[in-house]
């Protein structure tokens, strides 16, 4: 297993990792009003979250973002592990985009002006899936000893 990320994966890991880490660190300082707003939006898409208090939810979300962002930034975390974390996290955010009223144009996946900040999470999902699948072809070929590099 390769410890260092492939050179082609460094830029996406740095960009998404820094973005998510910054978002998480910002949420750690969220006041009650901000926490209630974030929690309310999340509950619209995922009603089971209503069981959590807003400040508890935002703390869990913030620490999740810090963990995912840190995993992406740490070169010792393998691509597939970082990709799995990013894919799971961003899939939840894409679900939020798809389930929240007013984020998409009626009958379309195209975002409204309000939906653009959430629509960017589709890029993170794509990056996560790319990292998750990185090295799959090479390891497969390596076992069969067919690839020539």
């Amino acid at each position: 297993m390769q410890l260092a990320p492939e050179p082609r994966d460094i830029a996406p890991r740095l960009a998404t990792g820094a973005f998510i880490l910054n978002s998480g660190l910002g949420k750690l300082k969220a006041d009650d009003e901000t926490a209630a707003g974030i929690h309310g939006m999340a509950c619209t898409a995922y009603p089971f979250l209503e069981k959590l208090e807003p400040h508890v939810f935002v703390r869990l979300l913030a620490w999740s973002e810090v963990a995912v962002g840190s995993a992406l930034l740490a070169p010792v975390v393998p691509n597939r592990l970082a990709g799995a974390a990013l894919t799971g996290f961003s899939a939840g955010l894409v679900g939020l985009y798809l389930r929240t009223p007013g984020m998409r144009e009626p009958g379309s996946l195209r975002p409204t002006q309000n939906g653009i900040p959430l629509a960017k999470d589709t890029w993170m999902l794509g990056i996560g899936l790319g990292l998750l699948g990185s090295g799959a072809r090479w390891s497969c070929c390596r076992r069969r000893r067919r690839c020539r590099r």
Side-chain angles (χ1 to χ4, degrees), residues 101-134:
M103 297 294 119
R104 296 179 293 127
E105 292 182 6
S108 172
L109 291 176
R110 293 179 54 210
T112 61
Q113 282 301 109
N114 291 338
I116 289 174
L118 287 177
K120 60 108 176 80
D121 297 328
T122 57
W123 299 344
M124 291 195 305
L125 180 60
I127 292 168
L129 290 170
L131 290 172
L132 193 56
S134 72

Side-chain angles (χ1 to χ4, degrees), residues 7-22:
R8 69 174 175 255
D9 298 325
I10 293 172
R13 284 184 67 159
L14 285 175
T16 54
F19 185 88
I20 294 170
L21 179 61
N22 181 60

Side-chain angles (χ1 to χ4, degrees), residues 53-70:
E53 292 293 321
H55 67 281
V56 172
F57 169 74
V58 171
R59 295 284 292 180
L60 289 171
L61 177 60
W63 282 114
S64 297
E65 288 180 332
V66 168
V68 171
S70 298

